[in-house]
Amino acid sequence: EAGVAQSPRYKIIEKRQSVAFWCNPISGHATLYWYQQILGQGPKLLIQFQNNGVVDDSQLPKDRFSAERLKGVDSTLKIQPAKLEDSAVYLCASSPGMGSPLHFGNGTRLTVT
Amino acid sequence: AQSVAQPEDQVNVAEGNPLTVKCTYSVSGNPYLFWYVQYPNRGLQFLLKYITGDNLVKGSYGFEAEFNKSQTSFHLKKPSALVSDSALYFCAVRGNTGGFKTIFGAGTRLFVKA
């Protein structure tokens, strides 16, 4: 089966600019996750979707981050405006069910200068 | 609240020796527990999981993990380490209540010396 697809692979922007990341999960996976992984740290959950509904977004900085999952398939994560501390790898993952592991994409490495 | 602790930033072991990477957790209800591995410039890969049943679970690449409910631990083990096992290892926990979100530990870097 095809894996989780993410784009772009790398992105460099200046602070206060905006950026968007795209994720296409594995076909049939109802749950989609966005994680932020800062260098040297574990992945931090930003938002979790079940189909096209939000299950948890308690750690999403809603003043600057937004995410949507239209039609319960693809998802986009947006940052506007970006700050220096947003420099990180943004990981998308999907899962078919509760007892199943997460399948991760290769991530988008964001550098904010 | 859910939490995962990996008390060691780095574990060093000689090739051929057994290895243990520690993980403790806190979650309401019965936990779903996972181990993932991350190689440089690669996404996280699933190693093994515990949902229910036998406390010793076996996974990919010869790894296994032991679930200990009383100590709320889920340590990763391998009887004989390989240099190629050198990577970053993450423990993760998913509660079975509320939003069922998956929380990751900070990670442990495993270094296997030839």
Side-chain angles (χ1 to χ4, degrees):
Chain A
E1 63 181 5
V4 176
Q6 287 189 250
S7 67
R9 190 77 173 89
Y10 303 94
K11 190 74 176 179
I12 301 174
I13 62 172
E14 295 181 351
K15 60 183 179 183
R16 292 187 289 273
Q17 287 186 324
S18 63
V19 63
F21 312 128
W22 173 82
C23 174
N24 185 19
I26 293 173
S27 178
H29 283 195
T31 310
L32 185 147
Y33 310 77
W34 282 103
Y35 285 87
Q36 179 193 59
Q37 186 176 19
I38 293 173
L39 188 63
Q41 299 181 18
K44 170 188 166 184
L45 180 65
L46 292 176
I47 189 166
Q48 178 178 334
F49 293 94
Q50 182 72 19
N51 296 310
N52 60 349
V54 175
V55 173
D56 188 284
D57 63 357
S58 57
Q59 296 198 83
L60 187 73
K62 299 180 186 62
D63 58 333
R64 298 186 299 108
F65 285 64
S66 64
E68 61 182 5
R69 189 183 184 194
L70 298 176
K71 302 180 181 179
V73 182
D74 291 10
S75 177
T76 57
L77 176 70
K78 296 179 181 178
I79 307 175
Q80 183 179 9
K83 293 185 176 182
L84 296 177
E85 59 260 35
D86 298 331
S87 293
V89 175
Y90 291 85
L91 297 166
C92 179
S94 68
S95 173
M98 274 299 302
S100 301
L102 275 61
H103 297 255
F104 282 88
N106 286 327
T108 296
R109 183 177 297 277
L110 173 67
T111 302
V112 182
T113 62
Chain B
Q2 288 175 230
S3 65
V4 178
Q6 293 183 242
E8 303 151 318
D9 290 336
Q10 181 164 313
V11 170
N12 299 308
V13 64
E15 188 174 34
N17 284 0
L19 69 88
T20 298
V21 182
K22 297 179 180 177
C23 171
T24 59
Y25 66 89
S26 174
V27 68
S28 298
N30 295 320
Y32 294 170
L33 295 160
F34 305 84
W35 276 101
Y36 293 83
V37 60
Q38 188 173 38
Y39 297 100
N41 299 314
R42 301 276 298 277
L44 279 82
Q45 299 175 34
F46 167 71
L47 273 181
L48 51 79
K49 67 178 181 181
Y50 172 83
I51 305 298
T52 187
D54 194 349
N55 289 344
L56 184 65
V57 294
K58 295 186 183 297
S60 306
Y61 312 120
F63 284 93
E64 57 190 29
E66 186 169 12
F67 170 64
N68 187 316
K69 187 173 183 178
S70 63
Q71 296 185 5
T72 62
S73 66
F74 188 56
H75 300 332
L76 181 70
K77 300 180 180 183
K78 187 173 183 181
S80 179
L82 299 172
V83 172
S84 57
D85 293 330
S86 298
L88 193 54
Y89 291 81
F90 292 96
C91 180
V93 63
R94 180 186 299 162
N96 59 5
T97 59
F100 308 105
K101 59 186 180 182
T102 301
I103 302 299
F104 284 79
T108 298
R109 184 164 299 280
L110 174 65
F111 181 70
V112 182
K113 184 177 181 180

